[in-house]
Amino acid sequence: MGGGRRSTNRMVEKVNNRWEVCVSLSEGQFQQVSFVNGISTIKGGTHVDYVTNQITNHVMATVNKKNKNANVKAHNVKNHLWVFVNALIDNPAFDSQTKETLTLRQSSFGSKCELSDEFMKKVIKSGIMESLLSWADFKQRKELKKTDGTKTTKIQVEKLEDANDAGGRNSDKCTLILTEGDSAKALAMAGLSVVGRDHYGVFPLRGKLLNVREATHTQIMNNKEIENIKRILGLQQNKQYDSVKSLRYGHMMIMTDQDHDGSHIKGLLINFIHSFWPSLLKVPSFMVEFITPIVKATHKNGTVLPFYSMPEYESWKESIGGSASGWSIKYYKGLGTSTSKEGKEYFANLDMHKKDFVWRDEQDGEAIELAFSKKKIEARKHWLRQFEPGTHLDQKEKLIKYSDFVNKELILFSMADLQRSIPSMVDGLKPGQRKILSCSFKRNFVKEAKVAQFSGYVSEHSAYHHGEQSLASTIIGMAQSYVGSNNISLLQPNRQFGTRNMGGKDHASARYLYTQLSPITRFLFPRDDDRLLNYLSEDGQTIEPSWYMPIIPTVVRELGLGGALTSLIIIQEI
């Protein structure tokens, strides 16, 4: 039985006096040997299906639980099985006189064959799970190869401004500039008028790249942006790269905003390459970044000081005693804030703005995995707890270790993400919500106004550096009052602010919605307390306080979810 298979690969169980089962592994095709009342059913039948379905369903569930991306189906498991069934069945019915296939329904067998948990554990430990995971990995890699790029001089990708020498004999000298959106692409194109089009290409990214480390195979296959990057660079799945000679571009330059979200986009691109082609990160100068100032301080005597991170700018402000008199401060929210003239200046001094990422040792790979792998959640919590305010990359350095990027720049995004995702225990507000509440009090917001107009007011009076669309969404969220939204709405939902059925997503557009302060809000945050609060200041403008001091713990209003932490408030009677 089994054609010479080792006995250790066979799992045998005598379920009862009427059923005996043996299972072993098959080489990619289902095989069975079965008997009904001593008659050999060479083509199987319902009795074999009855036993096999129990095994395949259990193995399928276990494999997919082990690897959610495996997407193994029951028929895939069946193709890896060899099954023996010996059964005694009441009044069996066959498909023909030769009795090759049992056709009797399971309910008429006259007995049951329920395989034990112990037997199922033996099947799992037989090596079938490893075989299926290996098969699933091979299949996924084969499918991903369909989106591979090749080293060719001409390709058609929407919005790509290809370098003249890309894919040619000088391709190793070419640099692909990946920008954060179309406005950043316009800035890069202005810069190309300085450095030329022969060795520089530009491709705009649409927001944040997929975290491929935690994405499903289907998500990766259907992601057009990943496919485009592979085609533009000429990347081939499963290939080990020790040089860039076989690629269309020899360098990949990341050009994003200098804010926290820009750091996240850099991290996601590094994570993408590390997940599929880790050897490429070890190739000198393959991965580079282009940095631009996030703040420029211009003195009335003409002196211009650029700052490439907020901690660097804050440190300078402290060094001059917090007084910026005589200095004009300009905050560059995005690359679109820079003029074409500034873009040309940046590229004219390319060496000053270009930084090379370097791989020193395995700590670099561990740092990347720490930042993006779900398996590292506990380690990521510890990483965040070790954060020290003022941490930032020294932008004077020409070479940046991947571990330094993660621990000194990407961590700033993670901390900012937590701060804007999880409410403060003091007043129950996130930073954006606190800005909105502060402006509501400043405006004495007792007469209703359009959400779209109020978001503009908040942006102007609170030094809000993100998009007004995001601000409008926060205002709408603070006003929603359906069951499951806010326990207490600080703003009134005048018009259609969404329903419980759609989780609030069915709200009207911000230009049609009106809101104002809820009557209860000033009871929770008394006006007499306003003068006692510690107000923040930015660019010489007084903005919201560090936090408010409500008369009851308003943190019970809502919950939050961040990158590695979540808040869960157990509400008791107050």
Side-chain angles (χ1 to χ4, degrees):
M1 187 167 58
R5 287 186 180 85
R6 292 180 298 172
S7 59
T8 51
N9 285 341
R10 297 183 193 139
M11 287 64 66
V12 181
E13 178 164 65
K14 188 167 183 178
V15 181
N16 50 48
N17 291 333
R18 291 187 149 213
W19 291 88
E20 186 178 5
V21 175
C22 177
V23 174
S24 188
L25 300 186
S26 174
E27 297 296 332
Q29 183 178 358
F30 177 67
Q31 299 178 65
Q32 64 86 31
V33 174
S34 57
F35 296 86
V36 172
N37 300 349
I39 301 169
S40 175
T41 46
I42 60 174
K43 291 185 179 178
T46 52
H47 60 316
V48 177
D49 293 341
Y50 176 36
V51 172
T52 305
N53 288 344
Q54 292 182 59
I55 299 169
T56 54
N57 289 335
H58 180 78
V59 173
M60 177 181 68
T62 306
V63 171
N64 288 333
K65 186 177 180 181
K66 177 83 173 175
N67 183 354
K68 292 179 181 178
N69 292 332
N71 196 28
V72 169
K73 307 295 184 190
H75 68 272
N76 303 137
V77 179
K78 189 175 179 179
N79 287 337
H80 286 76
L81 291 177
W82 179 94
V83 176
F84 169 84
V85 178
N86 185 19
L88 293 176
I89 290 177
D90 294 343
N91 302 317
F94 300 94
D95 63 335
S96 65
Q97 288 293 324
T98 56
K99 300 181 179 179
E100 294 177 339
T101 308
L102 182 73
T103 58
L104 187 70
R105 289 182 301 175
Q106 177 192 324
S107 58
S108 302
F109 285 172
S111 62
K112 288 187 177 181
C113 176
E114 295 179 349
L115 300 174
S116 66
D117 292 341
E118 192 63 34
F119 179 76
M120 291 298 192
K121 288 178 183 177
K122 290 179 182 178
V123 174
I124 293 297
K125 293 178 180 178
S126 68
I128 190 170
M129 190 160 74
E130 290 76 10
S131 296
L132 285 165
L133 287 171
S134 177
W135 170 84
D137 183 59
F138 171 77
K139 183 186 174 190
Q140 289 175 4
R141 287 174 181 270
K142 188 177 178 181
E143 288 179 350
L144 284 171
K145 285 187 75 67
K146 294 176 183 177
T147 61
D148 278 359
T150 55
K151 187 175 180 180
T152 180
T153 54
K154 298 294 181 183
I155 62 169
Q156 291 293 324
V157 175
E158 187 181 2
K159 295 188 177 182
L160 169 67
E161 297 292 338
D162 216 6
N164 294 334
D165 289 346
R169 59 183 179 180
N170 293 323
S171 62
D172 58 319
K173 298 176 183 176
C174 294
T175 299
L176 175 66
I177 304 173
L178 294 174
T179 67
E180 184 181 346
D182 292 335
S183 59
K185 177 189 173 183
L187 184 71
M189 293 305 295
L192 293 197
S193 65
V194 176
V195 296
R197 296 284 297 268
D198 287 346
H199 294 157
Y200 289 91
V202 183
F203 181 66
L205 298 172
R206 293 179 298 175
K208 294 188 177 182
L209 193 71
L210 180 71
N211 179 2
V212 295
R213 199 176 296 270
E214 299 302 333
T216 65
H217 173 68
T218 304
Q219 286 176 313
I220 296 171
M221 284 295 295
N222 293 339
N223 191 290
K224 193 68 178 174
E225 200 148 55
I226 288 174
E227 180 184 343
N228 285 338
I229 292 173
K230 287 177 69 176
R231 288 183 60 208
I232 296 167
L233 288 171
L235 290 166
Q236 296 181 5
Q237 207 68 32
N238 309 326
K239 185 169 181 177
Q240 289 285 326
Y241 291 95
D242 54 14
S243 76
V244 294
K245 289 290 186 183
S246 60
L247 296 177
R248 295 189 73 249
Y249 284 87
H251 312 278
M252 185 171 86
M253 180 186 285
I254 309 170
M255 187 175 177
T256 65
D257 298 346
Q258 284 299 117
D259 60 5
H260 299 314
D261 289 308
S263 299
H264 192 211
I265 292 171
K266 291 178 205 172
L268 287 166
L269 282 163
I270 292 170
N271 176 61
F272 166 59
I273 299 296
H274 182 256
S275 296
F276 293 127
W277 306 278
S279 59
L280 260 181
L281 297 186
K282 300 176 183 179
V283 176
S285 298
F286 170 74
M287 183 76 73
V288 296
E289 70 166 330
F290 188 95
I291 61 169
T292 56
I294 191 169
V295 176
K296 275 187 181 179
T298 306
H299 197 268
K300 55 187 178 184
N301 65 11
T303 304
V304 178
L305 297 178
F307 300 96
Y308 296 91
S309 69
M310 288 308 293
E312 185 185 357
Y313 168 62
E314 296 294 343
S315 176
W316 171 77
K317 252 194 351 180
E318 285 182 20
S319 69
I320 61 172
S323 172
S325 59
W327 292 90
S328 170
I329 308 299
K330 183 178 180 182
Y331 181 89
Y332 288 72
K333 162 60 187 80
L335 292 170
T337 311
S338 299
T339 63
S340 294
K341 180 185 176 184
E342 286 173 317
K344 292 175 183 178
E345 290 172 358
Y346 297 152
F347 277 82
N349 296 293
L350 192 59
D351 287 341
M352 189 175 78
H353 293 274
K354 183 168 76 78
K355 309 289 180 183
D356 288 11
F357 288 102
V358 293
W359 182 282
R360 293 293 188 212
D361 49 41
E362 289 308 312
Q363 286 186 354
D364 292 316
E366 290 168 5
I368 297 168
E369 193 175 345
L370 169 71
F372 293 101
S373 174
K374 282 186 178 177
K375 297 175 184 175
K376 301 287 186 179
I377 288 178
E378 289 304 318
R380 191 151 59 244
K381 288 179 182 177
H382 178 72
W383 174 62
L384 292 169
R385 291 189 189 105
Q386 301 302 309
F387 173 75
E388 294 183 6
T391 298
H392 67 280
L393 268 176
D394 183 359
Q395 298 294 353
K396 295 184 179 70
E397 295 290 335
K398 294 294 295 178
L399 304 177
I400 303 170
K401 291 195 299 181
Y402 289 102
S403 55
D404 282 347
F405 167 75
V406 170
N407 295 321
K408 295 181 181 179
E409 181 174 330
L410 190 60
I411 195 171
L412 298 178
F413 162 77
S414 296
M415 293 303 298
D417 183 52
L418 288 176
Q419 288 171 358
R420 63 194 184 196
S421 302
I422 296 180
S424 165
M425 283 297 294
V426 181
D427 59 10
L429 298 171
K430 301 170 188 175
Q433 294 171 329
R434 197 174 294 113
K435 286 181 181 290
I436 291 166
L437 189 64
S438 172
C439 288
S440 298
F441 294 156
K442 186 175 184 179
R443 177 176 170 152
N444 192 24
F445 196 25
V446 292
K447 294 183 70 174
E448 72 172 19
K450 283 185 178 181
V451 169
Q453 292 172 338
F454 181 51
S455 63
Y457 177 87
V458 175
S459 181
E460 179 185 356
H461 290 85
S462 67
Y464 188 80
H465 299 304
H466 303 283
E468 288 185 17
Q469 186 176 355
S470 172
L471 198 57
S473 296
T474 305
I475 294 170
I476 292 169
M478 290 176 69
Q480 287 174 332
S481 59
Y482 59 84
V483 175
S485 57
N486 300 301
N487 293 319
I488 301 172
S489 297
L490 300 180
L491 299 175
Q492 279 189 201
N494 302 344
R495 314 297 191 271
Q496 297 299 325
F497 274 73
T499 64
R500 183 183 185 184
N501 291 339
M502 298 286 289
K505 293 180 181 178
D506 52 346
H507 62 77
S509 172
R511 64 182 182 273
Y512 301 130
L513 296 175
Y514 288 77
T515 189
Q516 64 194 91
L517 274 174
S518 294
I520 194 175
T521 305
R522 262 309 186 185
F523 287 102
L524 295 174
F525 303 90
R527 189 186 302 273
D528 292 340
D529 288 349
D530 288 357
R531 56 191 176 143
L532 305 175
L533 302 173
N534 176 36
Y535 288 89
L536 302 174
S537 176
E538 187 164 333
D539 301 345
Q541 179 184 13
T542 300
I543 51 176
E544 77 278 359
S546 302
W547 52 68
Y548 284 97
M549 300 296 289
I551 60 173
I552 64 170
T554 49
V555 71
V556 301
R557 286 189 330 106
E558 65 169 329
L559 305 180
L561 176 65
L565 302 173
T566 184
S567 65
L568 177 61
I569 312 299
I570 309 300
I571 302 175
Q572 304 286 345
E573 284 190 28
I574 299 175

